[in-house]
Amino acid sequence: QMWEEAIALGKELAEQYENEMFDYEQLSELLRKQAQFYENIVKVIRPKPDYFAVGYYGQGFPTFIRNKVFIYRGKEYERREDFEARLLTQFPNAEKMKTTSPPGDDIKNSSGQYIQCFTVKPKLDLPSKFHRPVSEQIVSFYRVNEVQRFEYSRPVRKGEKNPDNEFANMWIERTIYVTAYKLPGILRWFEVKSVFMVEISPLENAIETMQLTNDKINNMVQQHLNDPNLPINPLSMLLNGIVDPAVMGGFTNYEKAFFTEKYMHEHPEDHDKIEKLKDLIAWQIPFLAEGIRLHGEKVTEALRPFHERMEACFRQLRDKVEKQYGVRAALPSVEERRGSRPRSMVRSFTMPSSSRPVSVASVSSISSDSAPSRPGSDGFVLEPLLPKKMHSRSQDKLDKDDLDKDKKEKKKEKRNSKHQEIFDKEFKSTDISLQQSEAVILSETISPLRPQRPKSQVLNVLASERRFSVSPVPPSSQLTPPPITPRTKLSFTIQPNLELNGMSSSDIPDVPPPLPLKGSTADYGNLMESPDLTSPTTSPPAHQRVSP
């Protein structure tokens, strides 16, 4: 379940598939696996294994472990007793030590075998890429993986014993173990390379405990926000242990030990630390308020009296803390605590498809799929949907093109109706044989958003040819074709002085060369052919035109 490591290896493989092997099938399968890994990281709760420090003391052990300390990674849900039993099966003659303090030289130089085993806590070492707060579900992996520093804390009492408050003189002796490599690695255990010890004062211990408590409340609230199906019992015990003074006493013991005139007079250097502890106590109230709100939403009717008592205790606690230490702002929004996405990304995931903004490219592609339509004519309204910041030059150009096309469409309808009348008048009455009077050079300009040519435009071209190239009079009296107004997308021009293949207009014979053979009539189907258009040497098959 170390999906973070699998993703790192998958990225190396993806680089090879994409840029070296060009195996896109393997690349697509690999990317699907990575997507599943990312989903597992967020949604699947993984068990956290424990780490154990094991010391082998005595001359009876092999030299590679003799008088050395190792850090072991336990199995999932493995308790220390089970791990010790598994360890002692390898050394049945070894004796288990009862203390956690380092042994003396007498034990190290003895001929026997002594094993010391105790639980250590891994020290979180976040990668540098996490430069902002992220979800606890993501950080939880690094609390027990890719760790190299481990600590063991042992309480030590100094000074006179205070029966009323044990926190006043309870120091913490903390031992830090640094392994040779990060765990887990190719092995589940590595040798400890360095050991050093620090002492934590009672006030520093109180600050650290309050910080851990606040983080624990916040993390559990985040888990319930991410997964509403989690059981409510752990949240109930955590909240009740803090707000109910009859359970653990809360932070009242800290107030009695450190917030007194006597302590301030004896330890003036701890003024800043005391202010920090007060600030942590004040910040605990918003965390508790959010947790109790969630608890009230998920509590069952059987636990309703328990929740009401907890709410009553919390109200008293809140009034007291806000009066003594001030009011802190409410928790940030849920999206910010989860590591919110950019606003545009959140909108793209949450907006329904009917109201989601459609880009210019997608509108154009949708329009081009339907044959006779043009962009913007299939019911999409671009202006209300796109935000102002998304308007670019391409959008303004498209809007301008739509206006121009609407005007041209109206002109085209007028011309089509006029040409249809000419066609009905001249082609329905008589069957006219067509003759070519002069070579016509077709120049066709294709715009980036060119729609397919409608049938009305084909009739338009037929009527145009009829007007300048077809005449019912004998061939001897040829008419001069009228000038033709050029169009934006499809224009026909007559150029008698144009050179073709190095030949001037005087060298071109009277009979033009035949049109090339083509399977489809996409480009040449608009020219009506006659037997006079074919050359004497080549006789392509005549195309039969069917009148509309």
Side-chain angles (χ1 to χ4, degrees):
Q1 292 184 333
M2 299 181 67
W3 299 305
E4 287 80 356
E5 305 294 340
I7 289 173
L9 294 176
K11 290 180 178 179
E12 296 183 19
L13 277 176
E15 177 70 20
Q16 294 294 319
Y17 288 147
E18 184 176 7
N19 299 322
E20 299 293 338
M21 302 173 61
F22 303 101
D23 191 343
Y24 288 173
E25 185 176 355
Q26 291 285 346
L27 177 63
S28 63
E29 182 180 354
L30 179 64
L31 293 178
R32 280 193 292 269
K33 287 183 180 179
Q34 287 191 25
Q36 185 62 45
F37 292 156
Y38 279 113
E39 186 177 356
N40 292 343
I41 290 173
V42 177
K43 294 184 177 180
V44 178
I45 297 179
R46 291 174 278 188
K48 296 180 180 180
D50 290 332
Y51 285 89
F52 308 102
V54 179
Y56 300 94
Y57 301 107
Q59 300 298 318
F61 286 110
T63 55
F64 72 94
I65 61 172
R66 182 184 305 164
N67 294 332
K68 292 181 180 180
V69 180
F70 296 85
I71 300 295
Y72 282 76
R73 177 186 171 99
K75 297 180 180 180
E76 295 179 358
Y77 304 109
E78 186 176 31
R79 299 177 303 170
R80 183 173 61 86
E81 293 79 5
D82 299 332
F83 175 77
E84 288 178 349
R86 184 161 58 92
L87 193 65
L88 290 175
T89 55
Q90 302 177 17
F91 304 98
N93 298 326
E95 180 182 349
K96 192 180 95 171
M97 299 178 61
K98 304 296 183 182
T99 63
T100 58
S101 57
D105 293 337
D106 54 342
I107 294 181
K108 292 182 179 179
N109 297 326
S110 65
S111 59
Q113 294 180 345
Y114 297 90
I115 291 181
Q116 186 183 55
C117 180
F118 51 90
T119 305
V120 292
K121 181 181 177 182
K123 188 82 172 169
L124 174 64
D125 185 16
L126 272 178
S128 58
K129 64 180 180 180
F130 297 112
H131 57 275
R132 51 162 293 177
V134 295
S135 172
E136 174 62 23
Q137 192 72 3
I138 299 175
V139 177
S140 62
F141 171 80
Y142 299 97
R143 296 189 185 276
V144 293
N145 295 283
E146 296 187 11
V147 286
Q148 197 170 1
R149 294 161 59 92
F150 303 86
E151 60 185 31
Y152 174 74
S153 299
R154 188 167 61 95
V156 177
R157 301 196 178 276
K158 295 183 179 180
E160 297 180 0
K161 184 177 180 180
N162 188 353
D164 296 332
N165 193 344
E166 60 180 4
F167 295 96
N169 58 357
M170 188 175 69
W171 290 67
I172 299 297
E173 185 181 274
R174 180 165 296 165
T175 307
I176 309 297
Y177 301 92
V178 182
T179 56
Y181 307 98
K182 290 185 177 182
L183 279 167
I186 193 172
L187 299 176
R188 297 180 69 93
W189 56 288
F190 285 122
E191 183 183 354
V192 173
K193 288 299 183 181
S194 62
V195 181
F196 59 93
M197 187 180 64
V198 294
E199 283 189 345
I200 308 297
S201 67
L203 180 57
E204 292 173 343
N205 182 35
I207 293 174
E208 186 176 298
T209 304
M210 283 298 303
Q211 184 66 56
L212 291 175
T213 304
N214 291 352
D215 292 342
K216 190 173 183 180
I217 300 172
N218 187 29
N219 295 338
M220 189 163 291
V221 167
Q222 282 194 29
Q223 291 177 7
H224 281 269
L225 289 173
N226 293 330
D227 188 2
N229 298 322
L230 287 178
I232 197 176
N233 295 337
L235 181 63
S236 303
M237 292 187 293
L238 176 64
L239 296 176
N240 190 54
I242 296 174
V243 301
D244 193 350
V247 178
M248 294 178 63
F251 48 79
T252 307
N253 294 325
Y254 298 150
E255 295 175 339
K256 295 178 180 178
F258 309 115
F259 297 168
T260 60
E261 294 292 337
K262 179 181 177 181
Y263 186 89
M264 292 289 294
H265 181 71
E266 294 177 354
H267 304 86
E269 70 279 359
D270 291 343
H271 176 72
D272 294 338
K273 296 179 181 179
I274 290 176
E275 293 299 323
K276 184 177 181 180
L277 179 59
K278 290 180 179 179
D279 186 65
L280 289 173
I281 293 174
W283 269 110
Q284 193 177 76
I285 298 302
F287 289 105
L288 289 173
E290 182 70 10
I292 290 177
R293 184 191 66 81
L294 271 177
H295 189 272
E297 293 178 356
K298 302 178 65 174
V299 71
T300 60
E301 290 300 325
L303 293 177
R304 181 63 61 181
F306 167 77
H307 176 75
E308 292 176 354
R309 168 173 168 74
M310 192 164 57
E311 278 187 328
C313 294
F314 173 69
R315 282 193 294 268
Q316 297 177 3
L317 181 67
R318 182 176 58 185
D319 294 341
K320 173 189 173 183
V321 171
E322 290 181 351
K323 182 178 179 180
Q324 293 183 359
Y325 309 117
V327 180
R328 295 299 183 269
L331 286 174
S333 64
V334 175
E335 289 297 329
E336 292 177 358
R337 289 201 307 274
R338 292 180 183 176
S340 62
R341 306 184 184 98
R343 185 173 296 275
S344 60
M345 191 182 301
V346 175
R347 180 185 61 204
S348 65
F349 282 117
T350 57
M351 289 184 63
S353 59
S354 59
S355 61
R356 199 174 296 164
V358 182
S359 63
V360 177
S362 59
V363 173
S364 303
S365 61
I366 294 173
S367 176
S368 62
D369 292 339
S370 56
S373 64
R374 56 186 176 78
S377 64
D378 50 358
F380 286 92
V381 183
L382 296 179
E383 184 63 26
L385 290 177
L386 289 174
K388 291 183 179 180
K389 63 180 181 180
M390 294 179 63
H391 279 280
S392 58
R393 294 182 180 179
S394 59
Q395 173 65 22
D396 297 336
K397 183 178 179 181
L398 183 60
D399 296 338
K400 185 178 179 181
D401 290 343
D402 288 341
L403 295 177
D404 295 340
K405 287 175 183 177
D406 290 338
K407 294 180 181 179
K408 292 179 181 180
E409 192 70 23
K410 293 179 181 179
K411 293 181 180 180
K412 186 191 297 182
E413 291 177 358
K414 293 181 180 179
R415 288 199 300 268
N416 289 343
S417 60
K418 184 176 180 181
H419 297 325
Q420 183 66 30
E421 293 178 2
I422 298 174
F423 179 82
D424 294 340
K425 181 179 179 181
E426 297 187 6
F427 283 87
K428 285 185 179 181
S429 59
T430 57
D431 186 10
I432 305 171
S433 60
L434 303 178
Q435 296 181 1
Q436 179 71 19
S437 60
E438 191 169 355
V440 177
I441 306 301
L442 294 105
S443 62
E444 183 174 345
T445 304
I446 301 177
S447 66
L449 297 175
R450 179 190 177 195
Q452 294 188 5
R453 185 179 300 150
K455 294 182 179 181
S456 59
Q457 191 170 349
V458 176
L459 300 178
N460 179 16
V461 176
L462 290 175
S464 300
E465 293 175 357
R466 177 69 188 94
R467 195 163 56 240
F468 68 80
S469 63
V470 180
S471 176
V473 298
S476 59
S477 59
Q478 296 180 352
L479 299 177
T480 304
I484 300 173
T485 303
R487 300 181 188 174
T488 304
K489 293 186 177 180
L490 187 63
S491 61
F492 299 93
T493 58
I494 299 177
Q495 304 177 9
N497 296 326
L498 184 66
E499 290 189 4
L500 297 174
N501 298 329
M503 299 169 58
S504 62
S505 59
S506 59
D507 299 333
I508 298 175
D510 295 337
V511 180
L515 293 174
L517 293 177
K518 194 166 184 180
S520 64
T521 59
D523 293 332
Y524 303 102
N526 297 332
L527 295 178
M528 300 184 64
E529 301 175 358
S530 68
D532 297 338
L533 293 177
T534 59
S535 64
T537 57
T538 59
S539 58
H543 298 277
Q544 184 68 26
R545 175 168 294 281
V546 180
S547 300

